[in-house]
């Protein structure tokens, strides 16, 4: 028989959209989630959801949370600008979606059992994890070997799993420029790019020495506050094969340089040059309506995709946006954990921050600064 968790728990709470210090706190009397919570919400929306109770029981489970890793989406949700896309069904809400914890109720899962330590990532929106207990989707979870990976590292790796997807696009012997190389995803992509055979890796960061040191081990690192990479004579003469933009705004800069007929730091599409991004042009985009979302995620990327392949092949690289790069399956999580278990990928953590109001606010401020030293992690409990 599965032991029931308590009725109340400690959890981070976001009262409303707005300022971190005004809206974010840690409370002691938050209701513990159950596997029936989502079903109740869905049944209120439509009676048709009653027929999928068995399916939901197979894809959701309750964990006792050990650590939570914040993602850029956490601050976007808090800002209120993406409420139409990622907004919570009600306020207050529990933030955080990428986490590590111990299974206390596996539902109908046949893969996970009570007592398994798992890493989980969020699917639609980063919510419900920064608490003593959380509901997670078992379809995007993987078991954690705690002899090789700590809970804090597991949460960070789950949150950095887009790096695994991006690394699979890197070709052997490529010269690669990574924008945002010192951040949560970038700190892990630098490691994987070398493993995938990149011959030369350059990263941009406010702290370039971090990029040169292990485990990132870039060949070159540039402090973008001191030097404009797009005006670098060195890289205009020896352009990159691929730019991977994790920081926002790289494509408009390339277009602007083309308009002024300046030499490019990346090869054009006609020579195999590529620009790959998982971000929009700005970190805090407006997704408050259906039309905004279509413009950001479909129309603008599609236009650039077509133009870069048909009309600007001799002056710009091909443009590829994979903002929704993670499938709702376990595959990527399995690959990520296997790489860590094999010593090929090392978690890079900013923190961990304590699970109290001051600690959680500091974690959010670090994320908001857009200059974390790896993945921002909050430690919720000991294993």
């Amino acid at each position: 028989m599965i032991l029931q968790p308590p009725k109340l728990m400690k959890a981070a709470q976001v009262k409303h959209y707005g300022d971190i210090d005004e809206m974010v706190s840690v409370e002691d009397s938050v209701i513990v989630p159950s596997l029936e919570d989502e079903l109740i919400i869905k049944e209120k929306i439509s009676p048709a959801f009653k027929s999928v109770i068995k399916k939901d029981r197979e894809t959701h489970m309750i964990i006792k949370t050990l650590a939570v890793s914040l993602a850029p989406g956490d601050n976007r949700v808090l800002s209120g600008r993406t409420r139409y896309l990622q907004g919570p069904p009600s306020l207050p809400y529990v933030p955080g979606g990428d986490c590590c914890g111990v299974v206390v109720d596996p539902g109908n899962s046949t893969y996970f059992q009570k007592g398994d330590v798992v890493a989980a990532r969020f699917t639609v929106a980063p919510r419900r994890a920064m608490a003593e207990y959380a509901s997670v989707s078992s379809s995007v979870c993987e078991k954690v070997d705690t002899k090789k990976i700590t809970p804090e590292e597991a949460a960070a790796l789950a949150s950095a799993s887009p790096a695994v997807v991006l690394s699979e696009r890197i070709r052997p012997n490529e010269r690669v420029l990574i924008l945002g190389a010192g951040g949560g995803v970038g700190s892990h992509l630098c490691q994987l790019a070398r493993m995938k055979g990149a011959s030369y890796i350059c990263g941009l960061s406010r702290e370039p020495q971090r990029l040169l040191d292990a485990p990132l081990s870039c060949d070159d690192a540039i402090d973008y506050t001191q030097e404009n990479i797009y005006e670098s004579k060195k890289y205009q003469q020896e352009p990159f094969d691929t730019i991977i933009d994790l920081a926002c705004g790289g494509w408009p800069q390339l277009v602007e340089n083309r308009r002024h007929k300046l030499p490019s730091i990346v090869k054009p599409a006609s020579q195999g040059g590529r620009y790959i991004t998982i971000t929009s042009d700005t970190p805090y985009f407006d997704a408050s309506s259906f039309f905004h979302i279509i413009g950001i995620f479909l129309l603008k990327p599609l236009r650039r995709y077509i133009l870069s392949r048909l009309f600007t092949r001799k002056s710009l690289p091909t443009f590829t946006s994979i903002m929704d790069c993670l499938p709702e399956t376990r595959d990527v999580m399995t690959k990520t954990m296997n790489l860590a278990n094999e010593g090929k990928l090392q978690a890079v953590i900013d923190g961990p921050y304590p699970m109290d109001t001051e600690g959680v606010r500091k974690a959010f401020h670090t994320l908001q600064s857009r200059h974390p030293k790896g993945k921002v992690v909050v430690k919720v409990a000991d294993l």
Side-chain angles (χ1 to χ4, degrees):
M1 179 179 293
I2 296 174
L3 296 176
Q4 294 297 317
K7 293 183 179 181
L8 299 177
M9 65 178 180
K10 181 167 72 172
Q13 292 274 271
V14 177
K15 295 186 295 184
H16 210 289
Y17 307 118
D19 180 74
I20 292 171
D21 292 333
E22 293 180 3
M23 299 302 168
V24 179
S25 62
V26 173
E27 307 294 338
D28 292 321
S29 301
V30 179
I31 296 175
V32 172
S34 73
L35 291 177
E36 307 305 322
D37 288 348
E38 290 189 6
L39 304 179
I40 293 172
I41 293 172
K42 290 177 179 179
E43 287 174 5
K44 288 181 179 179
I45 296 171
S46 171
F49 281 110
K50 293 180 180 179
S51 64
V52 298
I53 290 178
K54 181 178 179 181
K55 180 179 178 181
D56 275 12
R57 287 286 297 182
E58 291 174 346
T59 58
H60 286 83
M61 57 188 185
I62 302 298
I63 64 170
K64 185 179 189 305
T65 313
L66 301 173
V68 177
S69 179
L70 293 178
D74 282 291
N75 269 338
R76 284 197 289 267
V77 173
L78 177 60
S79 74
R81 297 180 187 179
T82 61
R83 68 183 70 181
Y84 188 86
L85 179 66
Q86 296 179 310
S90 63
L91 295 165
Y93 71 91
V94 176
D98 301 319
C99 59
C100 175
V102 181
V103 176
V104 296
D105 187 348
N108 285 347
S109 173
T110 57
Y111 182 71
F112 297 106
Q113 297 179 359
K114 180 186 173 185
D116 285 343
V117 178
V118 300
R121 63 173 181 80
F122 71 87
T123 52
V124 177
R127 294 195 301 271
R128 304 183 301 180
M130 197 171 290
E132 290 181 312
Y133 293 88
S135 171
V136 298
S137 174
S138 61
S139 63
V140 288
C141 287
E142 187 50 277
K143 298 175 184 178
V144 176
D145 183 348
T146 55
K147 294 180 180 179
K148 298 179 179 178
I149 306 171
T150 68
E152 294 78 20
E153 290 171 338
L157 290 165
S159 195
S161 56
V164 174
V165 177
L166 287 167
S167 71
E168 292 175 349
R169 293 178 175 257
I170 295 174
R171 299 165 181 166
N173 300 315
E174 277 195 320
R175 292 168 54 83
V176 179
L177 171 63
I178 301 175
L179 309 181
V185 174
S187 294
H188 299 83
L189 181 59
C190 289
Q191 302 175 55
L192 296 173
R194 183 75 67 197
M195 186 189 74
K196 289 295 182 178
S199 62
Y200 187 90
I201 303 168
C202 176
L204 264 61
S205 173
R206 290 177 62 177
E207 299 183 47
Q209 188 58 49
R210 279 190 60 241
L211 308 189
L212 299 176
D213 296 338
L216 278 65
S217 304
C218 292
D219 296 291
D220 190 16
I222 293 176
D223 181 349
Y224 62 85
T225 67
Q226 303 297 320
E227 180 181 352
N228 185 349
I229 182 72
Y230 299 96
E231 297 176 358
S232 169
K233 299 296 183 183
K234 174 182 177 180
Y235 293 120
Q236 287 173 349
Q237 295 172 4
E238 299 180 77
F240 297 98
D241 297 289
T242 298
I243 292 178
I244 299 180
D245 187 357
L246 308 173
C248 305
W251 185 259
Q253 184 64 58
L254 292 174
V255 173
E256 182 69 10
N257 283 12
R258 172 180 176 268
R259 189 171 70 85
H260 289 288
K261 299 181 179 180
L262 298 176
S264 180
I265 61 169
V266 61
K267 294 177 181 177
S270 59
Q271 297 178 23
R274 301 182 299 156
Y275 173 94
I276 302 169
T277 185
I278 59 171
T279 72
S280 62
D281 289 342
T282 57
Y284 292 102
F285 52 82
D286 183 2
S288 56
S289 72
F290 173 78
F291 297 103
H292 283 127
I293 293 169
I294 290 296
I296 294 168
F297 292 98
L298 178 61
L299 298 182
K300 183 181 286 186
L302 181 60
R303 179 177 181 273
R304 291 174 176 176
Y305 180 94
I306 294 171
L307 291 177
S308 67
R309 285 161 174 79
L310 296 179
F311 302 106
T312 61
R313 285 183 52 79
K314 294 185 178 180
S315 55
L316 288 172
T318 57
F319 176 93
T320 300
S321 174
I322 49 174
M323 283 190 275
D324 186 18
C325 66
L326 292 171
E328 293 190 21
T329 60
R330 188 174 299 124
D331 301 358
V332 175
M333 287 293 293
T334 301
K335 291 178 183 177
T336 304
M337 294 302 151
N338 285 344
L339 287 167
N341 288 334
E342 295 165 5
K344 296 178 180 178
L345 178 62
Q346 181 176 325
V348 181
I349 295 174
D350 191 317
Y353 295 82
M355 180 64 174
D356 55 33
T357 296
E358 182 181 2
V360 171
R361 286 177 178 174
K362 283 184 177 180
F364 267 91
H365 278 298
T366 300
L367 182 68
Q368 187 181 62
S369 73
R370 302 189 66 234
H371 304 301
K373 301 173 183 178
K375 270 295 175 182
V376 178
V377 173
V378 174
K379 180 176 180 177
V380 179
D382 292 319
L383 180 60

